[in-house]
Amino acid sequence: MEKLYVEGGTRLSGNVRISGSKNSSLPILAATLLTEGECVLRNVPDLSDTNYMVQILSTLGADVERASGNVVVSAKKVASMAPYDLVRKMRASVCVLGPMLARNGEALVSLPGGCVIGDRPIDLHLRGLEALGAEVEVKGGDIKVVAPSGLRGATINMSGQYGSTVLGTDNVMMAAVFAEGVTIIEGAAAEPEVADLAKFLNSLGARIEGAGTSKIVIQGVEDLSGGEHVVIPDRIEAGTFMVAGAVIGDGITLENVCFEHLESLTSVLLESGHDIRVVDENKIHVDSSKDPKPNEITTEPYPGFPTDMQAQMCALFVNTPGISMVKETIFPMRFMHVPELKRMGANITLKDSMAIIRGVDQLSAAPVMASDLRASAALVLAALGAEGTTEINRLYHIDRGYEHLDRKLEALGARLRRGK
Ligand code: EPU
């Protein structure tokens, strides 16, 4: 299994181009199943997760071509069954459920498996589809949804115990595109990726308003055409490089970013003393502080502090003098990076869903294990600032969600290599 060896201590500087958003691309790829027309998607990152989604589309019968960030999909016909072998590889594959149901009036999708960041139920997705008139049956590890006489608009609340659901909102929004009448999604996830999906659907002829807020209104239409869409920049990849800049940067400029999507992270980094400057509409510059301050963060749905940046912030705070607190409210168990950071000398106490971090002077290299995508990113960041060469096992987690992370870091001056 491939490993990443990171030699710590080299300061990073220069420019890095941020890729298209993984979490936008996945539902947008799934949404192409809603139309027979040709869809051209640009700025789709080359990741194993987007590759899985492309495989799923092909297996369901779509013609898919992919080259240099562009994916062209023509789904003349769509099968009604997504088998376990495909779905098990990636939880986000559940977002084919809504489009398959809307297109065919039925869908059978294997229930996605568990996940290391905690229990990831899909009850809210199913509740939403039921409210649109679908019959839902979960049996033998499969979810079967049928709506023989079509879907009907309804008012649906998508909030649950931990806030709203991003992919659940996507699924219901996609299913509602062809529902008769008006669908109102209350307690909708307001993440920029939901707004990007709605923008794509509207470009095909859907009538969706309010996406990007907690209330989305969808007027059902009969058909969608083909279209073209440019996926938004990946705010979590951008955030990860901003934290790299704070951990060990001597001036990093991020290109192709949407600053508006990075405001909560920017405020925390500024409060901690790091320097963030907007260079122009889609460029920001990050410089680390010589005298960083500890901080407290609580993860929340957008526009709050993103759970997908929580692990990376732990990697920053382990080297920040003083006591920092990190509270996780979206996935309370999402702390798999903590024992690994401790192997590198971090001083972290976990109490319920809170990490209490006492900054240490210097981490030291150790063999560590990547457990999920963002935990892996945190280990890379910690390794960049550590003394010695850190060996990060299970590199495939990083390749699921960061396009050429090692090459981009290398271009900024980092010393790292892949190996066995
Ligand atoms: N939840 C329920 N019931 C549901 C669905 C979700 O209780 O039916 C709970 C979850 O257990 C969790 C909370 O609601 O406590 C939020 O989960 P959500 O459904 O919003 O997560 P998701 O849509 O499955 C997306 C991202 C995740 C990101 C979360 C939260 C994609 C492909 N994935 O997942 O991204 O952490 O939203 O923002 O968009 C990542 O990129 O590393 C990643 C895990």
Side-chain angles (χ1 to χ4, degrees), residues 24 166 169-170 173 189-199 211-212 216:
S24 252
V166 177
T169 301
D170 289 344
M173 186 164 78
E191 270 66 8
E193 294 76 17
V194 176
D196 201 30
L197 171 63
K199 188 173 171 205
I216 302 179

Side-chain angles (χ1 to χ4, degrees), residues 3-14:
K3 297 173 184 174
L4 188 66
Y5 296 89
V6 183
E7 197 182 319
T10 314
R11 301 207 62 89
L12 308 183
S13 61

Side-chain angles (χ1 to χ4, degrees), residues 73-92:
V73 187
S74 284
K76 296 274 177 254
K77 283 220 160 62
V78 176
S80 296
M81 205 176 129
Y84 179 63
D85 259 3
L86 277 179
V87 171
R88 73 183 168 83
K89 294 188 179 157
M90 181 181 62
R91 268 200 56 90

Side-chain angles (χ1 to χ4, degrees), residues 22-24 26-27 91-92 117 119-126 160-168 170 191 235-236 307-308 329-332 334 372-374 400:
K22 164 180 89 76
N23 289 349
S24 252
L26 295 172
R91 268 200 56 90
I117 68 177
D119 184 23
R120 295 182 72 183
I122 58 157
D123 56 312
L124 298 169
H125 301 231
L126 301 182
Q161 193 187 350
Y162 301 106
S164 188
T165 159
V166 177
L167 291 177
D170 289 344
E191 270 66 8
R235 64 191 167 103
I236 305 301
T307 173
D308 292 342
T329 70
I330 310 288
F331 295 111
R334 194 177 199 177
D372 73 85
L373 175 59
R374 308 305 172 187
R400 282 192 40 218

Side-chain angles (χ1 to χ4, degrees), residues 365-388:
V368 288
M369 185 82 80
S371 56
D372 73 85
L373 175 59
R374 308 305 172 187
S376 324
L379 297 179
V380 174
L381 294 174
L384 287 169
E387 190 174 24

Side-chain angles (χ1 to χ4, degrees), residues 4-237:
L4 188 66
Y5 296 89
V6 183
E7 197 182 319
T10 314
R11 301 207 62 89
L12 308 183
S13 61
N15 290 24
V16 57
R17 190 173 195 285
I18 300 305
S19 301
S21 159
K22 164 180 89 76
N23 289 349
S24 252
S25 298
L26 295 172
I28 288 175
L29 283 164
T32 62
L33 295 172
L34 283 164
T35 176
E36 280 186 22
E38 184 180 89
C39 298
V40 180
L41 307 178
R42 305 203 185 279
N43 207 28
V44 177
D46 183 10
L47 305 168
S48 47
D49 271 12
T50 54
N51 284 330
Y52 288 139
M53 188 54 93
V54 162
Q55 276 177 40
I56 292 174
L57 300 182
S58 302
T59 307
L60 290 173
D63 272 339
V64 192
E65 280 174 37
R66 179 170 207 179
S68 343
N70 297 330
V71 181
V72 182
V73 187
S74 284
K76 296 274 177 254
K77 283 220 160 62
V78 176
S80 296
M81 205 176 129
Y84 179 63
D85 259 3
L86 277 179
V87 171
R88 73 183 168 83
K89 294 188 179 157
M90 181 181 62
R91 268 200 56 90
S93 49
V94 73
C95 61
V96 296
L97 193 60
M100 285 166 72
L101 173 67
R103 178 85 182 257
N104 293 339
E106 59 175 357
L108 191 136
V109 177
S110 279
L111 206 54
C115 170
V116 75
I117 68 177
D119 184 23
R120 295 182 72 183
I122 58 157
D123 56 312
L124 298 169
H125 301 231
L126 301 182
R127 196 173 80 190
L129 298 178
E130 269 176 336
L132 293 174
E135 286 165 29
V136 177
E137 191 186 11
V138 181
K139 202 172 163 191
D142 293 323
I143 317 154
K144 190 173 174 197
V145 280
V146 289
S149 42
L151 297 169
R152 286 179 311 280
T155 298
I156 304 164
N157 194 312
M158 294 301 292
S159 35
Q161 193 187 350
Y162 301 106
S164 188
T165 159
V166 177
L167 291 177
T169 301
D170 289 344
N171 245 333
V172 173
M173 186 164 78
M174 289 188 278
V177 159
F178 294 147
E180 196 186 319
V182 177
T183 299
I184 301 177
I185 307 179
E186 288 171 345
E191 270 66 8
E193 294 76 17
V194 176
D196 201 30
L197 171 63
K199 188 173 171 205
F200 169 59
L201 292 168
N202 283 343
S203 76
L204 305 180
R207 292 178 58 194
I208 303 171
E209 283 176 14
T213 73
S214 60
K215 183 175 173 185
I216 302 179
V217 180
I218 304 144
Q219 171 76 57
V221 296
E222 295 208 333
D223 209 2
L224 295 182
S225 64
E228 198 173 319
H229 182 77
V230 183
V231 171
I232 55 170
D234 195 308
R235 64 191 167 103
I236 305 301
E237 190 203 2

Side-chain angles (χ1 to χ4, degrees), residues 235-270:
R235 64 191 167 103
I236 305 301
E237 190 203 2
T240 304
F241 276 99
M242 286 168 76
V243 175
V247 170
I248 194 148
D250 262 347
I252 298 183
T253 302
L254 284 72
E255 299 171 356
N256 187 38
V257 293
C258 177
F259 182 65
E260 189 193 330
H261 299 164
L262 294 164
E263 281 179 6
S264 59
L265 172 64
T266 300
S267 337
V268 172
L269 292 177
L270 285 173

